[in-house]
Amino acid sequence: PGWQPTYQLQPLAALRDDITVVSGLRLPARHVQNTHVEGAVGTMGGAHPQFHREYQGAGNDWDWLIPAGASYDFEASRHIQGPAPHQLLVIGVTTPQGTGRTGTALGYISHASAEAPNVPIQDPGVVFDKYFGFGVPGTGTPDPSFAHRGSVLDAVMQDAADLRRTLGTRDQSRLDTHLEGIRTLERQVKAFAVGGSACEAPPRVADSSSDRERSRLMSDLIAQALACNLVRVVTVQFSSPASHWVYRDIYQPGELLVNKTDTFHEYVHSQAGGSAFNTDSVETVFRGYRFFMENFAGLVGALKGKIEGGGTLLDNCAVAGFSEIAHPHHGVEREFENLPVLLAGKAGGAIKA
């Protein structure tokens, strides 16, 4: 609140009182590995990336880099899932890049463990079927007999603990992920999610070839899933780190062409000088930044549009938006200086503007 929108942030102007622009943050990355991966792993997990166990010194380190462990969103979802039948919803707007690599940190920002990425759902229709295909929760009371039904996991936890002590670190992580998956399934079968006052069944939607339209559809589904208490933690991967995407909603074919490559990522790197962009490319680059802000505003607006209690769904959410790097000129310290972060929502009163 109180900040004045720049050209790049203009799409956020109507939500200025709901969004806080955080400046001056620095990510203490090491600058020894691919900076996009260092930034993504650092912002999502608070640690440095590591090499996959199969790495033997080959070039292109990004092909082998993985996070040090679970990302923040996954850890948060384990603690605040409550009665929601789904633990974590991970959405993808554009196609992740580099997903065929052994290292998963370049293609995915969310991980359940070092070697278990949470692959984003890219089709709004799939999200609808998974979360709303069987209808939406009502406002009734849970069957009291559910509280007395046993858990498969509870019955075998001692055996699982004994097995865990015999395993190495990576196999322990795999076992934990497997057990957590069973626990999530139990919650989905056993829990009776009670929707909030803004819960209603959305119409089924089909995917779109437009990134803008897909983002809009996903934002509406996210807002509805949260309003219905179907999930409490959502991650939106608009683009994967170092994404070689074109964004055809705003760029014409060939407009970003650099060395036979027509992508926003390569164009921005090629136009980044020591401290600023080349003069003739500023509008082209900033058009992309505005597009990202437009889609962030779409999500915040969808949350604000749901009336919940004496306020809005946004009032009961905490939303953070960021990029993995602050400056596109590789090899300079500014890559992780003044990292841009946007915050929205009040987290039920826990966050004061």
Side-chain angles (χ1 to χ4, degrees):
W3 54 273
Q4 295 300 318
T6 61
Y7 174 82
Q8 301 170 52
L9 299 181
Q10 193 60 44
L12 306 178
L15 295 164
R16 187 174 60 181
D17 292 338
D18 301 293
I19 296 175
T20 298
V21 179
V22 181
S23 59
L25 297 181
R26 176 182 177 274
L27 184 70
R30 295 180 297 192
H31 291 273
V32 296
Q33 294 163 329
N34 179 271
T35 51
H36 289 284
V37 177
E38 285 190 320
V41 172
T43 52
M44 286 296 291
H48 302 297
Q50 61 186 12
F51 285 109
H52 189 274
R53 53 193 162 80
E54 297 178 0
Y55 178 70
Q56 296 180 351
N60 296 343
D61 62 357
W62 54 85
D63 288 338
W64 303 91
L65 289 172
I66 59 176
S71 49
Y72 289 142
D73 58 335
F74 182 80
E75 291 293 353
S77 69
R78 295 177 61 189
H79 293 284
I80 66 174
Q81 179 177 355
H86 298 278
Q87 178 179 337
L88 172 66
L89 171 58
V90 181
I91 293 294
V93 176
T94 63
T95 302
Q97 305 295 295
T99 56
R101 297 176 169 93
T102 302
T104 56
L106 190 65
Y108 307 110
I109 62 173
S110 178
H111 283 74
S113 66
E115 296 185 24
N118 297 313
V119 179
I121 303 174
Q122 291 182 256
D123 187 337
V126 174
V127 176
F128 176 90
D129 291 341
K130 182 175 181 179
Y131 284 78
F132 303 99
F134 296 98
V136 296
T139 55
T141 338
D143 183 342
S145 68
F146 284 0
H148 303 292
R149 298 181 185 179
S151 161
V152 173
L153 280 186
D154 292 342
V156 299
M157 281 309 291
Q158 185 57 53
D159 291 338
D162 293 340
L163 173 62
R164 196 176 189 280
R165 283 192 288 270
T166 68
L167 301 176
T169 302
R170 295 185 186 278
D171 287 331
Q172 286 180 358
S173 178
R174 291 194 184 95
L175 176 63
D176 292 342
T177 300
H178 177 67
L179 294 177
E180 186 61 38
I182 296 177
R183 182 72 77 186
T184 298
L185 181 60
E186 283 190 342
R187 289 193 188 102
Q188 293 176 8
V189 173
K190 187 176 178 181
F192 185 96
V194 178
S197 58
C199 178
E200 58 185 5
R204 193 186 190 286
V205 293
D207 196 11
S208 171
S209 59
S210 162
D211 299 330
R212 176 184 280 124
E213 178 63 10
R214 184 182 299 113
S215 178
R216 185 191 68 79
L217 294 173
M218 290 296 200
S219 293
D220 289 344
L221 288 170
I222 289 169
Q224 199 58 66
L226 290 170
C228 290
N229 199 30
L230 295 173
V231 67
R232 290 185 174 179
V233 179
V234 180
T235 297
V236 179
Q237 180 174 298
F238 189 82
S239 300
S240 56
S243 173
H244 291 259
W245 202 250
V246 183
Y247 307 112
R248 286 291 180 230
D249 288 292
I250 56 173
Y251 293 118
Q252 297 298 315
E255 189 174 357
L256 304 175
L257 189 63
V258 175
N259 295 328
K260 299 182 180 181
T261 302
D262 186 20
T263 72
F264 183 74
H265 171 262
E266 294 299 331
Y267 182 83
V268 172
H269 275 314
S270 72
Q271 300 300 317
S275 60
F277 290 106
N278 297 331
T279 304
D280 58 353
S281 67
V282 169
E283 190 283 327
T284 304
V285 173
F286 282 9
R287 197 189 324 157
Y289 293 165
R290 282 173 62 102
F291 183 62
F292 303 148
M293 295 302 99
E294 172 194 330
N295 287 278
F296 182 80
L299 174 59
V300 175
L303 298 176
K304 187 176 181 179
K306 294 289 181 184
I307 304 301
E308 193 171 77
T312 69
L313 179 60
L314 178 62
D315 293 331
N316 292 319
C317 291
V319 184
F322 50 84
S323 173
E324 77 272 16
I325 58 174
H327 192 283
H329 187 38
H330 281 332
V332 298
E333 291 296 324
R334 285 187 301 277
E335 281 182 299
F336 300 115
E337 297 285 349
N338 201 23
L339 200 69
V341 175
L342 301 174
L343 299 178
K346 300 176 182 177
I351 298 176
K352 306 297 182 183

